Structures are given as structure tokens and as C-alpha cells.
Amino acid sequence: SSCNQVVVRAGDETALLHGLCQTIATAGGYRLAWVGFAEQTPERLIRPVAWAGYEADYLSTIRLTWAEDQSGHGPAGTAIRTRLPQVSRFIADDPHFAWRAEALQRGYQSVLVLPFAVESEEWGILAIYAAEPDAFDNDEVLLLDELARDLAYGLRALRDRNALQETTRTLAEVAQRQLELDRSRLLLSMAVHDLRNPLAVIQTALDVLDRYGDRLSEAEREQRRKRIAESIQFMRNLLDDILLMSKAGLPTLPVHLEPLDIVAFCRQMLADIAQTSAEHRLEFEGPPESVQIITDRKLLRHILTNLLENAVRYSPAGSTVTLTLHPQPDRLVLRVVDQGIGIPAQEQAHVFEPFFRASNAGNIRGNGLGLTIVRQAVEALGGTIAVESTEGQGSTFTVTLLLPSANG
């Protein structure tokens, strides 16, 4: 529909809100359409932000609230409080319509108000006025309520994009500062390397939402939005670490221990890698049930991201990359096994050195820093890493981490 096209194509919130109101008013033939947000203030006002149709200063004349008193008992305030659509089928006879005279003066005979949630504590309304009384039957209410949900999805997607752009700008500023100071080049390379995967996850999720958003269920949209938000948060956390290490002048890795479901974490890591590695089979071998450990989530993400990306990068299309998990009472053993080009035997002792590239890597993309980052992260967690490889057959990287007890 034309409304869905507005949601998908809008470049910013203003364009989205005004475009949707304009489409509703013109294509739908309604007298007025407007969008407002509930303010979290003592007055609990509803602030109009966009409208289209015959408005004639209506929105600047009235004072809508979602308060519990009489001023908030109209359809707009009730929709915000109850989180349910509200219909005033005959404005002329509606005793709760506080601004009845102003509405009738402008030819509004009936109104449908649809609430929508942008964030958990941020609610808005889409209000649609008709020139005819009793203009909204049940089917039309259901259809327009779905449109309000699409509007909420569009707003969340735009805000996620803005958050991504802000994070990217911050990254550029940090990179420039690092280059100007000419120190901690390894740290900067680590940031670029580790941000590639969450950026790919975000880009893939946004592409799916842009192209197929109107075909996805609300649960599917929310799932992809959650992955975007989690990836953005990971990048923000990484940038915080970069700034901290830059101040110290050394590329050290701080450790922050926390509880973690290692089985779910490994499965999610494979799912993230799979979004940009469709030509490979990614498999998990480990316990079927949840296993709780104490570790540093970010460092473990560094380790697995690099090892899995390397396994995919240096393996042919159609081959299998396997992540195995062997939890033990006092340690955790992780293995990443590929069927790739392998590492020449005489070079395996150098694979964890900065900027080292195996002689058989050829034109395969890489900067020789990934395994250096892995070793630093493993050592920061008090663990070890080993490699077994046969040229032309594949490699196995084994990470062993000693686990602190839950009691410290």
C-alpha cells in the first residue's frame, strides 16, 4: 500500500510522520490525520508533531492530555492510558469530547485514535478524523490499527539507523585521534576488525526490514530490531574500551566478569556469522541445554568473532565450519574447526604474531591482526590457545579458559 511505501522509504522521522499523515488524508479521503506523542510531564500533555488535511489551527487551539482527570477522558487521552484504539462515532453527541465545538466547526464528525509504542515508555497516537459520522467500521479500525503498528516499526527503525550513524561518527573521531597521536595502532586495528561483524549484522537486518518489512510479522520485526540494538550496544561498549585504553597509552584489555549462558552465546555467535556467510555450513557441537559460566562477554566475543571469521574466510564455499564447546567444572574448552587451506607447518609458530600472514593466503582479505587480538583476549582471561593445521585440509584452533567460581 502507499502507506507502507512511506514507512519503508522515509529518510527521517519528520518525513515519515508528515508523509504518512498526508497519505492517510489524501488517499484515504479523511478530513484530518495527525500524530502526537504523550509527554512524561506532570501535565501529561499530548504534543502534536505532524498533521495533514483540513487542520485550520485546530491543533493549536485545543489542549489534549492523557491525565486521569476529565481533561484526559477524550478518545486521545483514553487511547494513551488504555493502550487501546478509541472511536468517537458521533462527535456531536460524545460527552467526553472536550473540544466538540472546535471539531464540529471544522467539519469533523467522527474520529479514530490509535495508540502505538515507539519505546517501552514512549507512546504516541495516530488520530484520524472523518467528515461523516460513524465513518469507522470494525474492519477499518483493524486495518488502520495495523498501519499504526507499521508507523511504530518505522520510527524504531529510523532511530536505530540514527544510533548506528552516531556510533559510526564516534568511531571515525576515535580513529582520527589515534592516527594523530600515532600510538596504539594495534588497538585501532582491533576496533576496525571487531566492528566489522556487528556492522554486517546491522546492515543485513536493515536490508531485510527495508525490503521485506511489510511482509514480516510484528515478532519478526522486533527480533531484527533487537539484533540491531544489541549490535549497536556492542559497538558502543567497544568504543568505550578503546577510549579507556587510549588514555592508558597501552593496548591492554580490561576484564569484566559476569554470568553468561555459554551455549546460547555460542549459538548466537554462529547465527551472527551466518548472516554474512551464506556459502558455508556453520555447525555447533555442544550441550543441548543451558550452561552458565562466569567470564567476560566482550573478550569472549572478540575471540570467537575472529576465529569464526578466519575459518570462513580461509575455507572454500560449501565447506563446514564447526564450533565445539566442552564445558568442564573448572575450565572451558572451545574449538573452531574448518576445512580450509590450512597453515604451512613451518609457519604455525608465527600465526599469533602481529601482521603475520601465511604464505598460502594469497589474495584472501586480511591484515594479520585477528589472531594477535585473539591471543591477547585469551591471555587476559588467563587461558591458552593452540593450533593444529594441515596445509590443504584445514585448521583447528583450541581455546582453553580457566573458569572462576560463581562465589568469586
Side-chain angles (χ1 to χ4, degrees):
S1 70
S2 54
C3 288
N4 283 336
Q5 290 298 316
V6 171
V7 171
V8 171
R9 295 177 179 176
D12 56 58
E13 286 194 29
T14 299
L16 171 60
L17 297 175
H18 284 282
L20 190 66
C21 289
Q22 186 66 42
T23 302
I24 292 172
T26 55
Y30 295 105
R31 186 75 168 167
L32 172 68
W34 64 276
V35 173
F37 289 109
E39 294 186 344
Q40 301 293 332
T41 61
E43 296 81 7
R44 293 190 172 185
L45 297 177
I46 301 175
R47 172 175 51 88
V49 294
W51 57 86
Y54 185 73
E55 190 264 341
D57 295 328
Y58 175 68
L59 297 176
S60 60
T61 300
I62 64 176
R63 185 178 183 273
L64 294 176
T65 81
W66 57 288
E68 297 287 350
D69 58 27
Q70 190 64 31
S71 68
H73 285 184
T78 303
I80 291 291
R81 290 198 315 278
T82 64
R83 313 296 199 243
L84 296 172
Q86 301 295 315
V87 183
S88 180
R89 301 187 182 279
F90 302 94
I91 291 178
D93 300 327
D94 189 343
H96 298 297
F97 206 99
W99 306 98
R100 185 166 53 246
E102 288 79 3
L104 295 174
Q105 181 182 353
R106 292 162 175 81
Y108 311 146
Q109 297 293 326
S110 57
V111 61
L112 168 64
V113 181
L114 301 161
F116 60 87
V118 183
E119 304 291 348
S120 59
E121 298 298 327
E122 183 179 6
W123 282 78
I125 57 168
L126 171 61
I128 305 172
Y129 293 71
E132 304 81 18
D134 198 15
F136 304 96
D137 59 26
N138 290 337
D139 289 340
E140 192 160 8
V141 171
L142 290 175
L143 179 65
L144 292 171
D145 186 46
E146 181 63 28
L147 178 60
R149 295 175 185 272
D150 289 342
L151 170 60
Y153 144 71
L155 286 171
R156 290 194 294 266
L158 284 171
R159 292 182 182 184
D160 288 338
R161 283 183 181 274
N162 291 337
L164 172 61
Q165 292 171 357
E166 179 184 352
T167 301
T168 303
R169 284 194 297 269
T170 302
L171 174 62
E173 293 173 0
V174 171
Q176 182 61 36
R177 186 178 306 162
Q178 291 296 101
L179 291 173
E180 290 173 354
L181 294 175
D182 193 26
R183 71 181 188 183
S184 195
R185 291 184 179 272
L186 178 60
L187 176 61
L188 179 59
S189 297
M190 184 189 75
V192 173
H193 190 282
D194 286 355
L195 284 168
R196 185 179 295 117
N197 189 58
L199 283 171
V201 171
I202 292 170
Q203 187 61 60
T204 300
L206 288 175
D207 286 345
V208 171
L209 290 174
D210 283 346
R211 296 179 185 180
Y212 311 108
D214 55 339
R215 306 180 197 172
L216 300 175
S217 68
E218 187 68 19
E220 290 172 325
R221 292 174 184 167
E222 186 61 26
Q223 181 184 28
R224 284 166 172 80
R225 195 186 77 86
K226 183 178 179 181
R227 292 302 303 133
I228 292 172
E230 288 175 350
S231 295
I232 289 174
Q233 187 59 50
F234 169 74
M235 290 192 296
R236 285 175 172 168
N237 291 341
L238 180 58
L239 290 174
D240 289 341
D241 286 347
I242 293 170
L243 292 174
L244 177 63
M245 288 183 276
S246 295
K247 291 177 181 178
L250 294 172
T252 55
L253 297 175
V255 177
H256 303 287
L257 299 179
E258 62 180 321
L260 177 69
D261 181 347
I262 186 60
V263 174
F265 184 85
C266 289
R267 292 186 182 278
Q268 187 60 63
M269 288 296 305
L270 286 174
D272 289 349
I273 298 295
Q275 290 194 37
T276 55
S277 306
E279 296 181 346
H280 295 78
R281 293 189 301 273
L282 302 178
E283 297 181 354
F284 174 71
E285 295 179 2
E289 304 295 336
S290 170
V291 175
Q292 294 291 329
I293 66 170
I294 304 294
T295 190
D296 186 305
R297 178 189 300 266
K298 288 184 289 184
L299 291 183
L300 193 55
R301 188 179 183 109
H302 288 322
I303 294 166
L304 290 183
T305 295
N306 280 287
L307 292 180
L308 289 170
E309 284 188 343
N310 277 355
V312 168
R313 182 179 303 122
Y314 295 101
S315 299
S319 64
T320 299
V321 172
T322 304
L323 172 60
T324 65
L325 170 65
H326 301 284
Q328 300 174 18
D330 63 341
R331 69 191 61 207
L332 182 74
V333 180
L334 293 157
R335 288 190 178 92
V336 175
V337 183
D338 66 56
Q339 301 169 338
I341 64 174
I343 305 167
Q346 67 275 17
E347 298 178 7
Q348 292 178 21
H350 304 288
V351 294
F352 299 107
E353 297 174 2
F355 307 107
F356 175 79
R357 296 262 291 162
S359 59
N360 61 340
N363 295 324
I364 300 175
R365 174 177 56 86
N367 58 18
L369 287 170
L371 291 178
T372 303
I373 295 168
V374 169
R375 184 178 63 178
Q376 288 190 344
V378 169
E379 291 177 351
L381 291 174
T384 61
I385 182 169
V387 59
E388 299 176 15
S389 184
T390 301
E391 189 172 6
Q393 297 183 21
S395 302
T396 298
F397 285 84
T398 302
V399 174
T400 303
L401 302 177
L402 297 179
L403 297 177
S405 68
N407 296 323

